[in-house]
């Protein structure tokens, strides 16, 4: 039977499927493997009744998708955002599958989330929502089955609520059930900065291999949350010049460079944790979207999906785009920037430092023995560097774009595992 290709109205899922089918065809993947790998193994939809502070009850919708467990337990974060739905979790779960495969860590991929606007929720409401979510997905999560982590609008506090709820339900501590916990509660030193450190490692290796001096190289970072800020801090340590940053409050551009430590201090001191009111020498406040099209060598979109799209792609002036977020360049934009000769380092390579860091945290949880931050980075940076060159070399050798090369490498490892593990007789 010829493969019946799946399609979707959801832009993230249709992109994920298009990328998968394109790579599968090019590598001559067997039809049965195409069928198996183009759909999630398991999807769970949950309803979440939450008592709000005013005493009323609101029912939220939540999801957990285990896209693949061929290489190990499903791994991937859960996010709180109004756009969350089943298809988005499916798409992001497939991306996690390729990310973990490419990273060479013993995990499959998954993703989850709750459709909500967290800025409208109080802390106690968020806690009740998170604990209800944990209880509803409890039957399918575990340190050897599915290990959630932080994602958009979730962090250490949500992870602790999640772990605590499951631990209470099971009557035993379950530290390895979730990663991204605070250092004081079974988390790992280094995990918080890991995604940003990984993005910075990719940027620096890319510049090196392209013969561009990292010292003084100009970088723009769109999104100044956990990923963007740690990427910026790591890059300035190596001498790169961050000429632009942005967040929900707008863009901040200074051709002479921004003092990133001051920007981070400003955000930390601001109760809203934004760049609002940030000032510095030569700093121009511009529209948030306009930061993407300023003069720079590297553009690192580290916020949400779809930032670089058909509307702005033609105006991008960067020579390189390194995707810190998941899916920040749409397929149309990918074509446009490709024609302009801009090289794109894909998300599931560039931002894999987060999940590699999660793997380190899980290993420490299983052993009950903790590493220093030096040990952590000592292991993270060589893995990121190796993964970067594996994709880079493949892309050079076979004349492929980095994204396609990354898909080909990642799909092969999962497909080989599915083939060897087989189906039931
Ligand atoms: N949410 C992060 C990602 O998309 C981290 C996932 C994890 O550590 O499991 O890669």
């Amino acid at each position: 039977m010829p493969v019946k290709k799946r399609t979707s109205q959801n832009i993230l899922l249709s992109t994920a499927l298009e990328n998968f089918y394109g790579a599968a065809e090019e590598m001559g993947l067997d039809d049965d493997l195409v069928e198996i790998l183009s759909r999630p193994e398991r999807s769970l939809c949950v309803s979440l009744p939450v008592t709000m502070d005013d005493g009323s009850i609101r029912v939220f919708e939540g999801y957990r998708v285990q896209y693949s467990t061929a290489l190990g337990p499903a791994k991937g974060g859960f996010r709180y955002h109004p756009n969350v739905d089943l298809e988005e979790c499916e798409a992001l779960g497939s991306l996690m599958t390729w990310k973990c495969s490419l990273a060479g860590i013993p995990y499959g991929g998954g993703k989850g989330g709750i459709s909500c606007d967290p800025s409208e929720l109080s802390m106690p409401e968020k806690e009740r929502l998170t604990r209800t979510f944990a209880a509803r997905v409890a039957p399918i999560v575990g340190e050897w089955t599915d290990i959630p982590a932080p994602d958009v609008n979730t962090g250490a506090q949500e992870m602790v609520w999640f772990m605590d709820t499951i631990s209470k339900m099971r009557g035993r501590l379950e530290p390895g059930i979730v990663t991204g916990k605070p250092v004081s509660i079974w988390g790992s030193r280094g995990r918080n900065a890991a995604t940003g450190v990984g993005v910075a490692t990719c940027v620096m290796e890319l510049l090196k291999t392209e013969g561009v001096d990292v010292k003084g190289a100009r970088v723009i970072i769109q999104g100044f949350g956990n990923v963007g800020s740690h990427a910026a801090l790591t890059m300035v340590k190596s001498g790169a010049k961050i000429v632009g940053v942005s967040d929900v409050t707008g863009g901040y551009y200074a051709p002479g460079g921004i003092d990133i430590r001051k920007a981070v201090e400003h955000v930390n001191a601001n109760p809203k944790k934004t760049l609002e009111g940030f000032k510095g020498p030569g700093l121009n406040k511009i529209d948030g979207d306009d930061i993407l099209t300023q003069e720079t060598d590297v553009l690192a979109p580290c916020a949400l999906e779809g930032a670089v799209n058909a509307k702005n792609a033609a105006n991008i002036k960067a020579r390189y785009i390194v995707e810190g977020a998941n899916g920040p360049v749409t397929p149309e934009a990918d074509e446009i920037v490709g024609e302009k000769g801009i090289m794109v380092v894909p998300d599931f390579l560039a931002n894999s430092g987060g999940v590699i860091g999660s793997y380190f945290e899980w290993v420490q949880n299983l052993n009950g023995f903790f590493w220093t931050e030096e040990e952590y980075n000592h292991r993270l940076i060589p893995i990121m560097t190796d993964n970067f060159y594996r994709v880079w070399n493949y892309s050079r050798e076979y004349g492929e774009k980095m994204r396609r090369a990354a898909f080909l490498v990642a799909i092969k490892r999962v497909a080989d595992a599915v083939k060897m593990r087989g189906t039931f007789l």
Side-chain angles (χ1 to χ4, degrees):
M1 282 267 284
V3 174
K4 189 164 177 298
K5 285 191 182 165
R6 298 179 63 211
T7 53
S8 171
Q9 296 300 319
N10 178 294
I11 178 79
L12 265 185
L13 185 56
S14 68
T15 307
L17 288 167
E18 226 174 88
N19 281 327
F20 169 72
Y21 287 128
E25 196 173 318
E26 183 169 334
M27 68 198 277
L29 195 66
D30 295 348
D31 286 355
D32 46 5
L33 285 166
V34 174
E35 293 279 14
I36 291 169
L37 293 176
S38 58
R39 29 180 70 72
E41 284 178 17
R42 181 181 284 130
S43 303
L44 180 67
C45 299
V46 290
S47 68
L48 308 166
V50 175
T51 306
M52 307 303 280
D53 292 345
D54 65 2
S56 67
I57 289 183
R58 239 180 100 182
V59 183
F60 295 86
E61 284 172 3
Y63 310 89
R64 185 70 191 169
V65 171
Q66 297 171 349
Y67 196 88
S68 170
T69 57
L71 287 169
K75 185 84 191 82
F78 62 91
R79 58 172 62 181
Y80 291 172
H81 196 274
N83 290 351
V84 169
D85 63 16
L86 186 62
E87 294 201 309
E88 182 182 278
C89 291
E90 218 182 273
L92 293 167
S94 78
L95 201 61
M96 284 309 302
T97 303
W98 314 132
K99 193 184 294 189
C100 293
S101 167
L102 186 68
I105 54 179
Y107 288 144
K111 199 70 147 205
I114 301 174
S115 171
C116 66
D117 179 352
S119 68
E120 287 176 352
L121 302 173
S122 69
M123 273 295 260
E125 287 170 342
K126 243 190 264 183
E127 174 172 358
R128 292 193 286 273
L129 179 63
T130 307
R131 288 187 184 276
T132 308
F133 179 65
R136 289 282 205 239
V137 300
I140 66 162
V141 293
E143 63 187 14
W144 290 106
T145 49
D146 183 355
I147 309 150
D151 201 83
V152 175
N153 294 327
T154 54
Q157 177 63 78
E158 285 75 14
M159 300 309 116
V160 172
W161 288 328
F162 192 95
M163 179 197 78
D164 183 72
T165 306
I166 307 262
S167 299
K168 284 185 173 130
M169 287 171 72
R170 297 193 182 159
R172 48 171 262 162
L173 186 70
E174 292 274 4
I177 201 157
V178 76
T179 57
K181 301 177 294 295
V183 174
S184 57
I185 311 178
W186 289 77
S188 173
R189 286 187 183 81
R191 170 64 182 90
N192 198 33
T195 313
V197 170
V199 171
T201 306
C202 280
V203 169
M204 290 177 308
E205 292 307 323
L206 172 68
L207 293 174
K208 233 190 278 173
T209 192
E210 283 278 288
V212 179
D213 194 354
V214 175
K215 284 213 173 10
R218 296 165 306 166
V219 182
I220 288 178
I221 297 194
Q222 181 245 3
F224 205 63
N226 175 279
V227 181
S229 60
H230 283 111
L233 284 168
T234 311
M235 280 187 252
V236 288
K237 272 191 212 147
S238 301
K241 190 163 73 173
I242 311 296
V243 293
V245 292
S246 73
D247 69 5
V248 286
T249 65
Y252 303 78
Y253 184 69
I258 296 173
D259 186 334
I260 288 299
R261 279 182 202 90
K262 285 224 173 93
V264 171
E265 275 166 26
H266 181 91
V267 169
N268 289 341
N270 180 339
K272 287 193 178 148
K273 304 285 171 233
T274 62
L275 286 159
E276 179 118 66
F278 179 58
K279 296 205 168 59
L283 194 77
N284 303 306
K285 173 86 198 289
I286 59 175
D287 192 76
D289 288 341
D290 292 343
I291 202 75
L292 298 160
T293 51
Q294 303 300 312
E295 287 288 346
T296 184
D297 299 304
V298 180
L299 171 65
C302 297
L304 280 175
E305 50 266 9
V308 180
N309 49 49
K311 281 194 218 122
N312 57 17
N315 300 325
I316 303 281
K317 298 186 189 70
R319 289 159 69 188
Y320 310 101
I321 297 177
V322 178
E323 296 184 322
N326 288 321
V329 179
T330 65
E332 298 90 344
D334 216 11
E335 286 283 322
I336 299 168
V337 299
E339 276 158 24
K340 283 166 67 97
I342 300 171
M343 190 184 293
V344 181
V345 180
D347 45 10
F348 66 103
L349 169 61
N351 69 28
S352 61
V355 74
I356 297 169
S358 280
Y359 167 54
F360 294 165
E361 181 177 333
W362 178 77
V363 166
Q364 293 170 72
N365 290 160
L366 295 183
N367 288 321
F369 181 78
F370 288 89
W371 309 349
T372 62
E373 186 154 0
E374 288 69 41
E375 276 176 277
Y376 186 97
N377 285 327
H378 186 71
R379 289 188 164 100
L380 175 66
I381 292 166
I383 295 181
M384 281 304 301
T385 308
D386 277 3
N387 292 347
F388 173 82
Y389 282 107
R390 183 160 342 115
V391 176
W392 173 264
N393 291 337
Y394 195 104
S395 128
R396 296 295 102 167
E397 192 172 339
Y398 297 100
E400 301 279 7
K401 283 190 187 165
M402 293 277 277
R403 191 185 310 279
R404 176 55 67 87
F407 266 105
L408 293 170
V409 174
I411 293 171
K412 179 161 189 330
R413 183 164 172 245
V414 181
D416 287 349
V418 170
K419 220 180 332 185
M420 279 195 85
R421 291 182 69 159
T423 51
F424 287 115
L425 298 178

mmCIF file of all heavy atoms in Angstrom, residues 168-200:
data_model
loop_
_atom_site.group_PDB
_atom_site.id
_atom_site.type_symbol
_atom_site.label_atom_id
_atom_site.label_comp_id
_atom_site.label_asym_id
_atom_site.label_seq_id
_atom_site.Cartn_x
_atom_site.Cartn_y
_atom_site.Cartn_z
ATOM 1 N N LYS A 168 3.388 12.509 46.016
ATOM 2 C CA LYS A 168 2.363 12.307 47.061
ATOM 3 C C LYS A 168 1.385 11.209 46.640
ATOM 4 O O LYS A 168 0.965 10.391 47.457
ATOM 5 C CB LYS A 168 1.636 13.612 47.345
ATOM 6 C CG LYS A 168 2.507 14.542 48.187
ATOM 7 C CD LYS A 168 1.809 15.812 48.599
ATOM 8 C CE LYS A 168 2.701 16.580 49.574
ATOM 9 N NZ LYS A 168 2.872 17.972 49.225
ATOM 10 N N MET A 169 1.025 11.205 45.345
ATOM 11 C CA MET A 169 0.082 10.185 44.871
ATOM 12 C C MET A 169 0.680 8.785 44.998
ATOM 13 O O MET A 169 -0.016 7.830 45.301
ATOM 14 C CB MET A 169 -0.260 10.427 43.395
ATOM 15 C CG MET A 169 -1.165 11.632 43.169
ATOM 16 S SD MET A 169 -1.307 11.999 41.409
ATOM 17 C CE MET A 169 -2.325 10.654 40.852
ATOM 18 N N ARG A 170 2.005 8.685 44.750
ATOM 19 C CA ARG A 170 2.634 7.353 44.750
ATOM 20 C C ARG A 170 3.227 6.980 46.106
ATOM 21 O O ARG A 170 3.713 5.869 46.290
ATOM 22 C CB ARG A 170 3.704 7.282 43.668
ATOM 23 C CG ARG A 170 3.070 7.467 42.294
ATOM 24 C CD ARG A 170 3.928 7.122 41.124
ATOM 25 N NE ARG A 170 3.147 7.426 39.908
ATOM 26 C CZ ARG A 170 3.656 7.636 38.717
ATOM 27 N NH1 ARG A 170 4.963 7.569 38.533
ATOM 28 N NH2 ARG A 170 2.870 7.900 37.683
ATOM 29 N N GLY A 171 3.248 7.949 47.019
ATOM 30 C CA GLY A 171 3.763 7.662 48.359
ATOM 31 C C GLY A 171 5.264 7.464 48.388
ATOM 32 O O GLY A 171 5.793 6.806 49.288
ATOM 33 N N ARG A 172 5.974 7.993 47.387
ATOM 34 C CA ARG A 172 7.449 7.927 47.388
ATOM 35 C C ARG A 172 7.978 9.057 46.520
ATOM 36 O O ARG A 172 7.287 9.504 45.590
ATOM 37 C CB ARG A 172 7.966 6.585 46.859
ATOM 38 C CG ARG A 172 7.315 6.142 45.554
ATOM 39 C CD ARG A 172 7.969 4.934 44.942
ATOM 40 N NE ARG A 172 8.898 5.357 43.886
ATOM 41 C CZ ARG A 172 9.871 4.590 43.405
ATOM 42 N NH1 ARG A 172 10.074 3.386 43.900
ATOM 43 N NH2 ARG A 172 10.648 5.017 42.439
ATOM 44 N N LEU A 173 9.183 9.501 46.851
ATOM 45 C CA LEU A 173 9.747 10.607 46.077
ATOM 46 C C LEU A 173 10.028 10.153 44.644
ATOM 47 O O LEU A 173 10.578 9.076 44.437
ATOM 48 C CB LEU A 173 11.046 11.091 46.740
ATOM 49 C CG LEU A 173 11.651 12.336 46.091
ATOM 50 C CD1 LEU A 173 10.793 13.561 46.360
ATOM 51 C CD2 LEU A 173 13.068 12.585 46.603
ATOM 52 N N GLU A 174 9.646 10.991 43.685
ATOM 53 C CA GLU A 174 9.852 10.658 42.269
ATOM 54 C C GLU A 174 10.662 11.766 41.602
ATOM 55 O O GLU A 174 10.164 12.468 40.720
ATOM 56 C CB GLU A 174 8.488 10.533 41.559
ATOM 57 C CG GLU A 174 7.654 9.356 41.978
ATOM 58 C CD GLU A 174 7.990 8.072 41.213
ATOM 59 O OE1 GLU A 174 8.933 8.088 40.389
ATOM 60 O OE2 GLU A 174 7.314 7.071 41.456
ATOM 61 N N PRO A 175 11.926 11.962 42.013
ATOM 62 C CA PRO A 175 12.662 13.103 41.454
ATOM 63 C C PRO A 175 12.913 13.004 39.952
ATOM 64 O O PRO A 175 12.898 13.994 39.243
ATOM 65 C CB PRO A 175 13.987 13.089 42.234
ATOM 66 C CG PRO A 175 14.128 11.706 42.756
ATOM 67 C CD PRO A 175 12.747 11.177 42.948
ATOM 68 N N GLY A 176 13.098 11.774 39.454
ATOM 69 C CA GLY A 176 13.444 11.604 38.027
ATOM 70 C C GLY A 176 12.259 11.657 37.098
ATOM 71 O O GLY A 176 12.378 11.416 35.905
ATOM 72 N N ILE A 177 11.077 12.023 37.629
ATOM 73 C CA ILE A 177 9.871 12.051 36.789
ATOM 74 C C ILE A 177 9.808 13.323 35.957
ATOM 75 O O ILE A 177 9.077 13.414 34.982
ATOM 76 C CB ILE A 177 8.604 11.899 37.662
ATOM 77 C CG1 ILE A 177 7.443 11.416 36.791
ATOM 78 C CG2 ILE A 177 8.238 13.190 38.376
ATOM 79 C CD1 ILE A 177 6.359 10.737 37.555
ATOM 80 N N VAL A 178 10.580 14.331 36.354
ATOM 81 C CA VAL A 178 10.530 15.613 35.661
ATOM 82 C C VAL A 178 11.912 16.256 35.770
ATOM 83 O O VAL A 178 12.620 16.041 36.761
ATOM 84 C CB VAL A 178 9.412 16.474 36.299
ATOM 85 C CG1 VAL A 178 9.801 17.059 37.608
ATOM 86 C CG2 VAL A 178 8.940 17.566 35.378
ATOM 87 N N THR A 179 12.335 17.004 34.745
ATOM 88 C CA THR A 179 13.619 17.710 34.828
ATOM 89 C C THR A 179 13.376 19.218 34.785
ATOM 90 O O THR A 179 12.267 19.650 34.494
ATOM 91 C CB THR A 179 14.564 17.290 33.686
ATOM 92 O OG1 THR A 179 13.911 17.549 32.449
ATOM 93 C CG2 THR A 179 14.973 15.830 33.795
ATOM 94 N N GLY A 180 14.440 19.974 35.082
ATOM 95 C CA GLY A 180 14.274 21.430 35.143
ATOM 96 C C GLY A 180 13.834 21.861 36.531
ATOM 97 O O GLY A 180 13.253 22.939 36.704
ATOM 98 N N LYS A 181 14.110 21.020 37.524
ATOM 99 C CA LYS A 181 13.769 21.352 38.909
ATOM 100 C C LYS A 181 14.813 22.333 39.462
ATOM 101 O O LYS A 181 15.932 22.412 38.939
ATOM 102 C CB LYS A 181 13.761 20.059 39.761
ATOM 103 C CG LYS A 181 12.774 19.007 39.266
ATOM 104 C CD LYS A 181 12.831 17.707 40.058
ATOM 105 C CE LYS A 181 14.117 16.926 39.922
ATOM 106 N NZ LYS A 181 14.412 16.401 38.589
ATOM 107 N N PRO A 182 14.481 23.052 40.557
ATOM 108 C CA PRO A 182 15.493 23.944 41.123
ATOM 109 C C PRO A 182 16.646 23.132 41.722
ATOM 110 O O PRO A 182 16.436 21.990 42.147
ATOM 111 C CB PRO A 182 14.732 24.697 42.217
ATOM 112 C CG PRO A 182 13.460 23.996 42.414
ATOM 113 C CD PRO A 182 13.204 23.078 41.269
ATOM 114 N N VAL A 183 17.831 23.743 41.772
ATOM 115 C CA VAL A 183 19.020 23.029 42.259
ATOM 116 C C VAL A 183 18.778 22.486 43.670
ATOM 117 O O VAL A 183 19.199 21.379 43.999
ATOM 118 C CB VAL A 183 20.250 23.974 42.232
ATOM 119 C CG1 VAL A 183 21.467 23.313 42.859
ATOM 120 C CG2 VAL A 183 20.556 24.386 40.793
ATOM 121 N N SER A 184 18.052 23.248 44.499
ATOM 122 C CA SER A 184 17.852 22.824 45.896
ATOM 123 C C SER A 184 16.911 21.625 46.016
ATOM 124 O O SER A 184 16.865 20.979 47.052
ATOM 125 C CB SER A 184 17.299 23.989 46.705
ATOM 126 O OG SER A 184 16.094 24.434 46.111
ATOM 127 N N ILE A 185 16.112 21.347 44.995
ATOM 128 C CA ILE A 185 15.164 20.225 45.081
ATOM 129 C C ILE A 185 15.424 19.256 43.926
ATOM 130 O O ILE A 185 14.666 19.183 42.973
ATOM 131 C CB ILE A 185 13.690 20.716 45.092
ATOM 132 C CG1 ILE A 185 13.509 21.830 46.131
ATOM 133 C CG2 ILE A 185 12.736 19.554 45.371
ATOM 134 C CD1 ILE A 185 12.120 22.424 46.195
ATOM 135 N N TRP A 186 16.560 18.564 43.995
ATOM 136 C CA TRP A 186 16.904 17.505 43.046
ATOM 137 C C TRP A 186 17.134 17.994 41.621
ATOM 138 O O TRP A 186 17.101 17.223 40.662
ATOM 139 C CB TRP A 186 15.872 16.362 43.064
ATOM 140 C CG TRP A 186 15.963 15.552 44.316
ATOM 141 C CD1 TRP A 186 15.489 15.908 45.540
ATOM 142 C CD2 TRP A 186 16.577 14.272 44.481
ATOM 143 N NE1 TRP A 186 15.772 14.926 46.471
ATOM 144 C CE2 TRP A 186 16.428 13.901 45.839
ATOM 145 C CE3 TRP A 186 17.234 13.394 43.617
ATOM 146 C CZ2 TRP A 186 16.919 12.703 46.346
ATOM 147 C CZ3 TRP A 186 17.709 12.184 44.127
ATOM 148 C CH2 TRP A 186 17.545 11.851 45.482
ATOM 149 N N GLY A 187 17.322 19.317 41.461
ATOM 150 C CA GLY A 187 17.687 19.820 40.138
ATOM 151 C C GLY A 187 19.189 19.703 39.947
ATOM 152 O O GLY A 187 19.884 19.123 40.787
ATOM 153 N N SER A 188 19.687 20.244 38.836
ATOM 154 C CA SER A 188 21.122 20.144 38.574
ATOM 155 C C SER A 188 21.716 21.524 38.365
ATOM 156 O O SER A 188 21.111 22.367 37.693
ATOM 157 C CB SER A 188 21.357 19.316 37.312
ATOM 158 O OG SER A 188 22.722 19.348 36.981
ATOM 159 N N ARG A 189 22.898 21.709 38.911
ATOM 160 C CA ARG A 189 23.636 22.932 38.595
ATOM 161 C C ARG A 189 23.858 22.960 37.093
ATOM 162 O O ARG A 189 24.179 21.926 36.503
ATOM 163 C CB ARG A 189 24.985 22.930 39.292
ATOM 164 C CG ARG A 189 24.855 23.191 40.752
ATOM 165 C CD ARG A 189 26.197 23.364 41.436
ATOM 166 N NE ARG A 189 25.945 23.544 42.853
ATOM 167 C CZ ARG A 189 25.705 22.542 43.698
ATOM 168 N NH1 ARG A 189 25.724 21.300 43.279
ATOM 169 N NH2 ARG A 189 25.440 22.785 44.960
ATOM 170 N N GLY A 190 23.652 24.117 36.464
ATOM 171 C CA GLY A 190 23.928 24.243 35.038
ATOM 172 C C GLY A 190 22.707 24.070 34.147
ATOM 173 O O GLY A 190 22.670 24.556 33.031
ATOM 174 N N ARG A 191 21.638 23.376 34.642
ATOM 175 C CA ARG A 191 20.484 23.083 33.781
ATOM 176 C C ARG A 191 19.780 24.358 33.315
ATOM 177 O O ARG A 191 19.354 24.468 32.168
ATOM 178 C CB ARG A 191 19.487 22.165 34.510
ATOM 179 C CG ARG A 191 18.126 21.979 33.809
ATOM 180 C CD ARG A 191 18.270 21.296 32.469
ATOM 181 N NE ARG A 191 17.015 21.139 31.743
ATOM 182 C CZ ARG A 191 16.515 22.020 30.899
ATOM 183 N NH1 ARG A 191 17.135 23.169 30.685
ATOM 184 N NH2 ARG A 191 15.400 21.774 30.252
ATOM 185 N N ASN A 192 19.681 25.337 34.224
ATOM 186 C CA ASN A 192 18.949 26.551 33.905
ATOM 187 C C ASN A 192 19.548 27.278 32.702
ATOM 188 O O ASN A 192 18.833 27.807 31.860
ATOM 189 C CB ASN A 192 18.956 27.453 35.153
ATOM 190 C CG ASN A 192 17.891 28.501 35.090
ATOM 191 O OD1 ASN A 192 16.823 28.258 34.524
ATOM 192 N ND2 ASN A 192 18.169 29.671 35.642
ATOM 193 N N ALA A 193 20.882 27.264 32.630
ATOM 194 C CA ALA A 193 21.553 27.998 31.546
ATOM 195 C C ALA A 193 21.771 27.127 30.313
ATOM 196 O O ALA A 193 22.190 27.622 29.265
ATOM 197 C CB ALA A 193 22.908 28.512 32.055
ATOM 198 N N ALA A 194 21.471 25.810 30.419
ATOM 199 C CA ALA A 194 21.929 24.857 29.396
ATOM 200 C C ALA A 194 21.462 25.173 27.972
ATOM 201 O O ALA A 194 22.258 25.085 27.021
ATOM 202 C CB ALA A 194 21.500 23.442 29.786
ATOM 203 N N THR A 195 20.196 25.545 27.787
ATOM 204 C CA THR A 195 19.723 25.783 26.415
ATOM 205 C C THR A 195 20.481 26.958 25.813
ATOM 206 O O THR A 195 20.956 26.900 24.669
ATOM 207 C CB THR A 195 18.205 26.053 26.391
ATOM 208 O OG1 THR A 195 17.551 25.071 27.187
ATOM 209 C CG2 THR A 195 17.654 26.005 24.970
ATOM 210 N N GLY A 196 20.615 28.032 26.594
ATOM 211 C CA GLY A 196 21.328 29.218 26.113
ATOM 212 C C GLY A 196 22.800 28.925 25.842
ATOM 213 O O GLY A 196 23.359 29.382 24.834
ATOM 214 N N VAL A 197 23.422 28.153 26.726
ATOM 215 C CA VAL A 197 24.836 27.795 26.525
ATOM 216 C C VAL A 197 24.968 26.993 25.225
ATOM 217 O O VAL A 197 25.892 27.197 24.436
ATOM 218 C CB VAL A 197 25.374 26.969 27.741
ATOM 219 C CG1 VAL A 197 26.741 26.377 27.456
ATOM 220 C CG2 VAL A 197 25.423 27.844 28.988
ATOM 221 N N GLY A 198 24.009 26.112 24.979
ATOM 222 C CA GLY A 198 24.031 25.305 23.756
ATOM 223 C C GLY A 198 23.858 26.159 22.502
ATOM 224 O O GLY A 198 24.557 25.963 21.498
ATOM 225 N N VAL A 199 22.939 27.118 22.557
ATOM 226 C CA VAL A 199 22.726 28.014 21.406
ATOM 227 C C VAL A 199 24.023 28.785 21.136
ATOM 228 O O VAL A 199 24.487 28.888 19.990
ATOM 229 C CB VAL A 199 21.559 29.015 21.673
ATOM 230 C CG1 VAL A 199 21.475 30.080 20.586
ATOM 231 C CG2 VAL A 199 20.227 28.280 21.786
ATOM 232 N N ALA A 200 24.635 29.291 22.206
ATOM 233 C CA ALA A 200 25.873 30.064 22.055
ATOM 234 C C ALA A 200 26.988 29.187 21.484
ATOM 235 O O ALA A 200 27.775 29.636 20.635
ATOM 236 C CB ALA A 200 26.284 30.632 23.416
#
